[in-house]
Amino acid sequence: MATLALQAAGQAVGGLLGPFGAIVGRAAGALAGNIIDQRLFGESSTRVVGYMEDLSVQTASDGSPIARVYGRMRLAGTVIWARDFEESVEVESAGKGSGSTVAEFSYTASFAVGICEGPIARVARVWADGEPLDLDLVNARIYYGRGHQPADPLIEALEGDTPAFRNTAYIVFEKLPVGPYGNRLPRLTFEVVRPVGKLEEMVRAVTMIPGATEFGYHAERVDRTIGPGESAADNRHLDVAVSDIEASLDELTAVCPNVESVALVVAWFGDHLDCAQCTLQPAVESNERETSVAWSVAGESRATARLVSKDADLRPTYGGTPADEAVFSAIKAIKARGLKVVFYPFILMDLPEGNGKTDPYGGSE
C-alpha cells in the first residue's frame, strides 16, 4: 500500500521537473514505500549473537605432572574435570514495530582445575588470562589437598560416585561465565602458599600492623569518594577477600595454624619531643575525604581532627589513626577466628621539617 501511494506521489512531484524527474520520483517513492511496507507487513527476522555450535570442552590429557610447591609460588593448573558448556539465550526486540529480534547467546562452564600436590595452606590469588580474578564474584570452591577432604558436591551430583582427589589441591568453578574469555576456558594461574619447616607451626602470637590506617582494620569494605559519582575501595586491595584484614587473617590462620593471639597496633600522634609540651591526639590524612563509613575517634570527627604532616609532594607522611569503628570491627573479626586480642596503643611522633619547636636535646629545632 505504501509502495503504491508513494510511487504515485513521487511520480507527480518529479513530473514537475519533466519526464526524467517523473521517473526518478517514481523510483524514489517506490523505494521509500517498500521500506515502510516491510516494517509494517514484512516477515520478522532474528539476528543471532554469540552462538556456538560446539559446546564440548577440551580437557587435559592423561599423564600431566602434579606440581609440588615449597613456600609461595605462582603456577598453572590442569583441568581434571569438566562438563560441556551450558547455553542460555536472551531474545529482545530490535526496534518498535520492526518485527525483528536479536537472540543473544551466552555460555557458562563448570569445571575443576588440579593445582598441585597437597596439603597447601592457601590459594592467595588467581589470574584468568593474565588478569586478576575476583573469587568473590564467581562461584568457586577450593580444596586444599588434605587426606580427608570430601568429594565436591557438584561433581558428585552430576557424576555419581566420584573421587575426592585427596592429597591434591584443586578448585571447582560452577557455571563460570566464559563470554569475557572468548567463549572458552580461560588460562588460569594460581598463587599457592605452602609452609615448609616447623617455624610457622611454632608461632603463637603476632603483632598486626600498620597501626596508622584510617580504615585498614575494618573487616567490611569501606569506599572512598574520588570524584563525582566515582568511588574506590579504601581497604580492599586483594581479590581474595572482602577486605584487606579478612585476607590477612585468612592467611595468618592458614599459614600459622597454632597462633593464639593478635596484638592490634593502634597509633595516635605526638607533636613534641618534650613530654611536658607534647600532646597526643588521633589524626587523619585529610579533613575533606568522604568515605562510606564516617571516621570518628574518641569524639573527634574528620572535620575537627588533627592533620598528619605532608611531604614535599604534598602526600601524607603517615596514615591516619584507625577509626574507632574499624578497631571494633577488627576485634570482632579476630575473635571470630577463635583468637585472643591484645590492644596495643602506639605513639608516632609527627615532627616535620620546619616545625619550629625547640629540640630538648639541644638542636636548632
Side-chain angles (χ1 to χ4, degrees):
M1 294 175 62
T3 301
L4 295 176
L6 292 181
Q7 186 177 16
Q11 181 177 3
V13 173
L16 299 176
L17 302 176
F20 181 73
I23 295 173
V24 174
R26 181 184 177 88
L31 177 61
N34 182 64
I35 293 174
I36 294 174
D37 284 343
Q38 286 295 324
R39 289 281 186 177
L40 295 176
F41 308 110
E43 295 182 0
S44 62
S45 61
T46 300
R47 184 165 67 91
V48 176
V49 178
Y51 177 69
M52 290 173 57
E53 293 185 358
D54 184 8
L55 301 185
S56 61
V57 175
Q58 182 178 359
T59 58
S61 59
D62 293 338
S64 298
I66 299 176
R68 178 179 294 175
V69 173
Y70 297 93
R72 184 185 295 263
M73 182 178 295
R74 178 175 175 176
L75 70 164
T78 301
V79 176
I80 57 177
W81 173 83
R83 299 285 286 187
D84 289 344
F85 291 126
E86 294 186 34
E87 179 183 271
S88 61
V89 59
E90 184 174 338
V91 179
E92 294 184 354
S93 174
K96 186 176 180 180
S98 67
S100 299
T101 57
V102 176
E104 186 168 359
F105 288 79
S106 60
Y107 299 89
T108 60
S110 296
F111 60 101
V113 179
I115 302 173
C116 64
E117 181 181 299
I120 62 172
R122 179 171 168 79
V123 176
R125 288 179 291 177
V126 181
W127 293 266
D129 285 352
E131 296 295 325
L133 177 62
D134 190 342
L135 292 182
D136 280 347
L137 302 181
V138 299
N139 190 355
R141 293 177 293 280
I142 299 175
Y143 296 89
Y144 296 95
R146 299 184 174 93
H148 52 78
Q149 67 188 16
D152 182 77
L154 174 66
I155 301 177
E156 192 170 35
L158 294 175
E159 306 292 350
D161 291 336
T162 184
F165 302 105
R166 294 191 173 111
N167 300 310
T168 297
Y170 71 103
I171 182 169
V172 177
F173 291 93
E174 184 172 346
K175 295 187 176 181
L176 176 73
V178 295
Y181 312 110
N183 285 338
R184 59 173 179 79
L185 296 188
R187 182 179 180 276
L188 295 165
T189 54
F190 308 88
E191 183 182 48
V192 176
V193 180
R194 183 190 180 203
V196 293
K198 297 182 179 180
L199 175 60
E200 290 83 356
E201 296 180 0
M202 296 170 63
V203 174
R204 296 292 185 273
V206 298
T207 299
M208 179 169 284
I209 57 174
T213 168
E214 292 181 5
F215 291 103
Y217 287 156
H218 207 298
E220 298 179 3
R221 173 170 169 154
V222 177
D223 288 326
R224 180 180 72 253
T225 301
I226 57 178
E230 188 177 3
S231 62
D234 193 72
N235 65 332
R236 185 177 190 255
H237 300 89
L238 297 171
D239 295 328
V240 294
V242 68
S243 63
D244 292 334
I245 190 171
E246 289 285 353
S248 297
L249 290 171
D250 286 346
E251 183 148 337
L252 171 65
T253 53
V255 173
C256 302
N258 297 317
V259 67
E260 297 173 355
S261 66
V262 175
L264 187 66
V265 176
V266 176
W268 282 32
F269 293 85
D271 60 358
H272 207 296
L273 296 183
D274 186 340
C275 288
Q277 302 183 58
C278 181
T279 60
L280 300 179
Q281 291 179 297
V284 292
E285 299 173 33
S286 170
N287 293 128
E288 300 176 352
R289 178 176 293 175
E290 295 183 11
T291 52
S292 58
V293 176
W295 183 93
S296 175
V297 175
E300 292 275 7
S301 68
R302 182 178 293 279
T304 61
R306 174 190 291 177
L307 273 175
V308 298
S309 60
K310 290 181 169 55
D311 61 17
D313 296 323
L314 300 181
R315 296 174 301 186
T317 50
Y318 297 94
T321 297
D324 283 347
E325 186 170 339
V327 175
F328 298 150
S329 179
I331 292 171
K332 291 178 181 177
I334 294 169
K335 287 190 149 192
R337 288 165 170 79
L339 304 176
K340 300 175 183 177
V341 185
V342 177
F343 183 72
Y344 188 164
F346 199 83
I347 300 172
L348 293 171
M349 304 304 296
D350 191 2
L351 294 164
E353 186 176 358
N355 58 77
K357 297 179 180 180
T358 304
D359 185 350
Y361 300 101
S364 59
E365 70 170 8

